[in-house]
Structures are given as structure tokens and as C-alpha cells.
Amino acid sequence: MRTVRMTSTVAVAALVLTFGQPARAAAPTVQPSTRADALTAMHGEAFAHAKYLAYAQEAARAGQTAVAQLFTRAARTERYDHFAAEADLIGFGTDNVANLTDAIRGEEYEAYVMYPAFARQAVADGCRAAADLFTEISVDEAGHAREFRAARYAITHPGADQNFPVGTRVTPVPIRAGLPKCAGQTQANLDAALHGEAFANAKYTRYAENARATGQARLGRLFDNAASQEIGEHFAEEATLAGLVRSTDANLRDSINGEQYEATTMYPSFARRAARVGDASAADLFTEIAGDEAGHAYAFTLALINLG
């Protein structure tokens, strides 16, 4: 795991103590444009992580073990190296109460606004399978919101019942390769939902890590279990409807295109912008990750050639 170097623009860390948690260092300071770019990158890395795990599953099903292992390694790099380093850069997810508040807000939006609207659109587009799935997921997200609210109350009220729910870990649902099952706006909504679920999975695992580091083991379990449903059930079922996974040949081509874009366009532009505003450590990080993504593109290209 890389360590992000701080620049002179970073304020001296201050120690805080909140709701019985161990003292934590204050979040590092970066310019707003750098923070926005880091968050954009984190969304991309979270989606790549989830997508590559799906591609690995298909390669394994087809007996292409080496390619499956390549996708799995790349997925771990995206989440546990790139996403994690970018989160460290901006101090993302370092306060349990703030994390719960963010989770509640996100889950309630999905449960009562986003997914019901997607379900209505799916009915209009004639895709009953998507309408049913969106409705089912909205119920799950409402349940997550209730659990997160109970956890926040327990943490913020000394002497309150600490036996708040820890959720249930779900068994992953296989993703079936194939063409999209819907069209029109519903297909676009499936894509948006896939990105949202992938990011929720990544940030909840980040929140779980912080909870355990601050002595909140039950909260860590709650976030981990919610994360398991976001990727293992919601993302997986949406991926099947969206036609996310195709043949290993097509999956490799998609991965090469994505990695080349990040290596040659996205991360270099983020690095230049960070350098211009004086965030030298961010510029260094973005440049380093660009090099990693170029390496992924090369490895995927070799794998594609070997499929022949």
C-alpha cells in the first residue's frame, strides 16, 4: 500500500475525540479541484473493481484461469491501492458518525427517490424485469437506512443500547453474460445504478475499516454486510440485466479501452491540475496511478493476444 506524501499546503494534523472513538488525525487539506478529481477517480476505481470481479467470474466459468486471475489482481489494485490512496489523500471516511450520516442520506435517496423513479421508467420502457428489480432494491436500501440510523443513535447517545443491528451478509449472485435485457432510458438507468452500487460497496468497506480501527467492531460488521449486498446482489442482478459481461475477448477489449483512457487522459489531466494549484503530493499520486493503469492496459492486451 502506498503512503501519500503531504505538501506544505497540508495543515498540521490536529487530534479530535468524538463519541468515544480514539483520537484521529484531522483530514488532510487539498484544494477543492483536487478533492473533486480524487472523488471522480474513486468512483471510477470502485466501478473498475466491481466490473473486473465480474469479468474474472466469466473467465473462470469459461476455463480461462490465467485471465480470471489477471482480472482479480487488477480488481484488488483498483480498490485496495488506488481507491484507498485517493481516499487517504482527501481524508475520506475517517469519522464514524459522518460516515453513518452519509450512508443514511445515500440509502434514503436510493430507496425513496432514485429506485422508485427508475422502476416507473422501466414500466414505461416495457422492461418489467428491471421494474421489479428496482422495486426490490429500493426496499433493501430502506432497510439499510434504518439499520444505519439505529447504529448512529447508539454511537451518539452514551448509555444507549449498543446492540444495534449488524445486518446480514448475502451470498453473491452469479452474473450471467449476455446482451442487455432493456433499452432506452432504462438501460442508462441500469448503468447509473451499477456505478452507484459499486461506489457504495467500496465506500462501505472503507467505512468498515475505519469503524474497526476506532474500536467499533459491530459497526464494522454492519458496513461490511451492507457492502456485500451492494456488490453481491444489487450490482450482480443489475449487471445481468444491463449486459455488462460479455465474452472474455470483449471484456478484455473493454478493459483495455478503459485503462488506456485513465492512463493517457484522465489521470494526467488530474495530475496537471493538482500541480497547478500546489497539491504536489496529489499530482505525484495521480501520475503514479496513471502508470499503473498503463501497466494494466498492457497486461490485458497480452492476455487478449494470448486468447488469439
Side-chain angles (χ1 to χ4, degrees):
M1 186 68 67
R2 63 167 59 79
T3 299
V4 179
R5 298 184 297 278
M6 298 302 164
T7 70
S8 59
T9 63
V10 177
V12 176
L15 297 181
V16 295
L17 186 63
T18 58
F19 303 111
Q21 300 177 45
R24 301 299 301 268
T29 301
V30 295
Q31 296 300 318
S33 60
T34 300
R35 180 178 179 81
D37 286 343
L39 283 169
T40 295
M42 288 165 64
H43 277 80
E45 299 294 345
F47 183 67
H49 166 253
K51 181 173 70 171
Y52 289 167
L53 289 179
Y55 288 175
Q57 183 183 114
E58 175 61 18
R61 186 201 63 77
Q64 297 156 328
T65 304
V67 180
Q69 292 173 343
L70 175 61
F71 275 130
T72 301
R73 288 194 301 271
R76 291 192 59 82
T77 298
E78 307 292 27
R79 165 59 186 89
Y80 294 102
D81 188 351
H82 300 169
F83 180 98
E86 290 158 351
D88 289 343
L89 176 74
I90 62 175
F92 180 86
T94 57
D95 180 275
N96 289 331
V97 176
N99 294 345
L100 282 165
T101 299
D102 169 71
I104 292 164
R105 183 166 50 245
E107 296 291 345
E108 289 183 341
Y109 168 73
E110 290 188 347
Y112 304 121
V113 180
M114 188 186 87
Y115 276 118
F118 284 2
R120 291 191 296 271
Q121 183 62 50
V123 171
D125 288 342
C127 191
R128 173 54 62 180
D132 291 345
L133 177 59
F134 290 149
T135 299
E136 177 186 340
I137 294 176
S138 71
V139 174
D140 293 341
E141 307 298 36
H144 289 168
R146 288 192 297 271
E147 291 173 339
F148 290 146
R149 280 192 175 278
R152 186 176 65 178
Y153 183 86
I155 289 175
T156 58
H157 289 73
D161 180 12
Q162 294 295 300
N163 293 319
F164 52 78
V166 295
T168 302
R169 193 167 190 86
V170 304
T171 301
V173 176
I175 298 173
R176 297 187 297 277
L179 296 174
K181 308 301 187 294
C182 305
Q185 184 59 44
T186 294
Q187 179 64 19
N189 290 345
L190 280 166
D191 183 67
L194 282 167
H195 282 78
E197 298 295 341
F199 186 69
N201 168 261
K203 77 175 180 178
Y204 288 169
T205 56
R206 171 81 175 188
Y207 293 173
E209 292 162 1
N210 186 75
R212 287 189 292 272
T214 54
Q216 295 285 352
R218 282 175 301 216
L219 179 58
R221 285 180 61 196
L222 176 59
F223 276 128
D224 272 337
N225 287 336
S228 76
Q229 186 168 37
E230 306 291 24
I231 193 172
E233 188 173 279
H234 299 170
F235 180 93
E237 292 176 340
E238 291 166 347
T240 294
L241 286 181
L244 177 71
V245 178
R246 306 294 178 85
S247 67
T248 296
D249 179 285
N251 295 339
L252 283 167
R253 293 179 188 277
D254 171 73
S255 303
I256 293 165
N257 289 338
E259 297 290 348
Q260 287 179 337
Y261 166 73
E262 290 189 346
T264 63
T265 302
M266 188 186 85
Y267 276 116
S269 71
F270 288 177
R272 290 191 297 271
R273 185 154 44 234
R276 283 198 300 269
V277 298
D279 286 334
S281 62
D284 289 346
L285 175 62
F286 292 147
T287 299
E288 181 181 348
I289 295 177
D292 292 345
E293 307 299 33
H296 287 169
Y298 179 72
F300 289 145
T301 300
L302 288 181
L304 181 62
I305 292 170
N306 288 335
L307 282 182

